[in-house]
Each structure stands twice: as structure tokens, then as C-alpha cells.
């Protein structure tokens, strides 16, 4: 059964929504599906997708699911386009995808096909790494703050708790984080964790999601070479009627 996970990231520098069928992770790379096909659908004038354009894309997606002998592993969509990705067994399966694209008259559709036996597009582009996965956790966390009456556009100190398996990694990481613009707080120790040695990082910012995503992504990617991870982040609640807003 498909297990879809969606998250916000960026495509060619623009904000985009990614959707990936995570059920294929245990099969990746699939030895019998080494060919990657994709179809990009956008307005003829390359402008923002209209409601009609989105409906046409949805119909194209349904046709692909029905007519292609391929695994639909994910898609990326921004304001002006959607790109859908499929793995199949042989290159000539492209003909069916070309036919679907050629029959579409309202949208411009471009088809691509190539070898990807390692499933690098699925594993490296579509499937979320720790930073990408965290963006969805950020969305939920920010929604909870907002539900509790927080003025998310108000700036405040955001604290990220980063943890590592070895104490010496904390010192090296803290220096890199400082150079990247984080303020450094106290060290932490939680012996029951697999990564018991921690450090608090601080940034001043709002709870607007793009800003929080940037902070967590920077901190996570810096931590990767030290086998570290973001345990959680927190900040004070600033009510909407607060003089600090």
C-alpha cells in the first residue's frame, strides 16, 4: 500500500511541496525498475498554475497511474508546475508517457527518461533526509504555538537542542555553528540517549515557517559530519496582545 509523506522544500530555488511514497524505501534500489521517467506539466505561458491547470494535472496523474507500467514514487509541485517521477523496467515504456503528454492541449508537458539503477532521484531528491523531515515537524510545532495564541510574526529567541554521540564532537560543532551565525548556549548531558552529549544553539527570529526551516536545516546539516541530530527546538510563547510583538 502507498505511504505518502509530504513536506515543504525548494525546487530550483523556489518554494515547493514534495510528496514521496515512502513504502518503496525498503525496495530501493529496485533491481527490476532501473529506468526513471518523469513528466513536467506547466502552463503554456509558464505562469502560475490556474485552477483549471491543476485539474488537468490531476487528470494526467490519474492517466499515468492507469496506463503506465511503472512505479509512481513521488512528485514536486510549486506555484507554476508539477513534476512526477516513475520507475519502470525498460526505456521503451516512455512511449506511453509521450502519448499522454502529446494528448494534453491545455498544458505544456515535457517528458524525460534515463537510467537510474541506484534510484538516486528517489533516495537523494524525493525521500526526506533529516533536515527535510524536520520541516514537517516544524509545521506541526508552529501550528501548536499558533493554536495556543502565539503571534508567530513576533521575533524571539529560538533554542535548538543538538545532540551527539561523543563529547568532543560538541566542541567542534559549536565552533562551526557559531561561525554559521548561531549563538552558543550551555552544554547538555542526557545519559539515557544514544546521543547523550548536547549543546543549545540560539537564533533570534520569528516562527514563520520558512525562517524556522532555514534555522533547523542549517543546524542539522552542520551536525551531520559529527553524527549529530536535532533533538527538539523551543521558544517562549508571545501572545498576540503582547507589547513585545
Amino acid at each position: 500500500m502507498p505511504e505518502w509523506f509530504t513536506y515543504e522544500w525548494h525546487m530550483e530555488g523556489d518554494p515547493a511541496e514534495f510528496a514521496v511514497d515512502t513504502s518503496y524505501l525498503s525496495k530501493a534500489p529496485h533491481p527490476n525498475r532501473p529506468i526513471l521517467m518523469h513528466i513536467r506539466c506547466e502552463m503554456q505561458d509558464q505562469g502560475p498554475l490556474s485552477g483549471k491547470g491543476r485539474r488537468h494535472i490531476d487528470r494526467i496523474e490519474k492517466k499515468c497511474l492507469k496506463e503506465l507500467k511503472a512505479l509512481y514514487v513521488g512528485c514536486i509541485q510549486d506555484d507554476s508546475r508539477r513534476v512526477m517521477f516513475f520507475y519502470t523496467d525498460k526505456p521503451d515504456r516512455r512511449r506511453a508517457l509521450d502519448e499522454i503528454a502529446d494528448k494534453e492541449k491545455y498544458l505544456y508537458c515535457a517528458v524525460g527518461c534515463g537510467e537510474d539503477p541506484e534510484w538516486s532521484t528517489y533516495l537523494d531528491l524525493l525521500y526526506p533526509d533529516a533536515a527535510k523531515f524536520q520541516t514537517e515537524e516544524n509545521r506541526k510545532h508552529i501550528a501548536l504555538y499558533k493554536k495556543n495564541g502565539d503571534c508567530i510574526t513576533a521575533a524571539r529567541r529560538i533554542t535548538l537542542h543538538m545532540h551527539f554521540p561523543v563529547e568532543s564532537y560538541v566542541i567542534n560543532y559549536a565552533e562551526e555553528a557559531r561561525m554559521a551565525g548561531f549563538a552558543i548556549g550551555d552544554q547538555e548531558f542526557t545519559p539515557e540517549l544514544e546521543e547523550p552529549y548536547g549543546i543549545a544553539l540560539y537564533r533570534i527570529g520569528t516562527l514563520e515557517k520558512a525562517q524556522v526551516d532555514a534555522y533547523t536545516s542549517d543546524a542539522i546539516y552542520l551536525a551531520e559530519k559529527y553524527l549529530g541530530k536535532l533533538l527538539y527546538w523551543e521558544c517562549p510563547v508571545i501572545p498576540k496582545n503582547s507589547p513585545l510583538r
Side-chain angles (χ1 to χ4, degrees):
M1 293 292 293
E3 297 175 8
W4 287 93
F5 179 78
T6 61
Y7 61 96
E8 294 175 357
W9 199 243
H10 40 79
M11 176 169 57
E12 297 177 356
D14 296 323
E17 181 180 85
F18 284 58
V20 57
D21 186 345
T22 61
S23 68
Y24 290 115
L25 182 63
S26 62
K27 306 177 182 70
H30 198 303
N32 298 323
R33 297 290 189 276
I35 304 301
L36 174 70
M37 301 189 300
H38 69 267
I39 180 170
R40 186 181 81 250
C41 303
E42 57 192 3
M43 302 294 289
Q44 296 281 357
D45 61 1
Q46 297 184 329
L49 284 170
S50 64
K52 183 177 179 180
R54 293 177 187 274
R55 291 191 293 273
H56 272 250
I57 291 177
D58 290 341
R59 285 197 286 270
I60 290 170
E61 186 177 63
K62 289 178 181 178
K63 284 184 181 179
C64 289
L65 289 172
K66 181 179 179 180
E67 299 176 18
L68 298 183
K69 295 181 179 180
L71 305 178
Y72 182 30
V73 297
C75 66
I76 307 173
Q77 180 165 311
D78 62 14
D79 289 340
S80 62
R81 59 197 159 168
R82 185 187 302 173
V83 186
M84 293 169 275
F85 299 89
F86 306 84
Y87 282 98
T88 190
D89 55 348
K90 48 190 177 181
D92 62 7
R93 299 291 188 198
R94 173 179 175 155
R95 288 199 294 269
L97 192 57
D98 283 331
E99 288 179 8
I100 292 172
D102 291 342
K103 289 178 181 178
E104 173 58 38
K105 303 305 179 185
Y106 183 74
L107 298 171
Y108 169 74
C109 297
V111 172
C113 181
E115 294 185 359
D116 185 13
E118 300 301 320
W119 276 43
S120 59
T121 294
Y122 177 81
L123 295 171
D124 299 334
L125 176 65
L126 295 172
Y127 196 86
D129 59 17
K132 294 175 181 177
F133 182 82
Q134 181 62 41
T135 64
E136 178 62 11
E137 295 301 302
N138 292 343
R139 183 191 64 77
K140 296 176 184 177
H141 206 31
I142 292 167
L144 185 59
Y145 273 86
K146 192 173 182 179
K147 182 179 179 181
N148 289 331
D150 188 273
C151 176
I152 65 169
T153 58
R156 83 291 302 275
R157 187 174 76 174
I158 300 172
T159 305
L160 291 76
H161 297 272
M162 310 300 299
H163 274 246
F164 302 84
V166 179
E167 186 174 11
S168 61
Y169 291 173
V170 175
I171 298 172
N172 295 331
Y173 173 77
E175 179 59 21
E176 287 200 34
R178 185 185 67 79
M179 296 294 291
F182 291 95
I184 309 303
D186 294 334
Q187 292 193 28
E188 303 169 347
F189 181 63
T190 311
E192 64 270 21
L193 298 179
E194 291 186 8
E195 298 87 5
Y197 303 99
I199 189 78
L201 304 184
Y202 303 131
R203 289 298 294 259
I204 301 298
T206 72
L207 287 190
E208 292 176 293
K209 187 171 180 299
Q211 194 167 92
V212 176
D213 287 349
Y215 295 158
T216 58
S217 296
D218 287 347
I220 289 169
Y221 285 138
L222 281 172
E224 282 185 344
K225 68 179 179 180
Y226 298 109
L227 306 179
K229 69 178 184 181
L230 171 62
L231 203 60
Y232 65 97
W233 63 263
E234 60 183 338
C235 66
V237 173
I238 299 182
K240 292 181 179 179
N241 59 355
S242 170
L244 298 176
R245 60 186 292 270

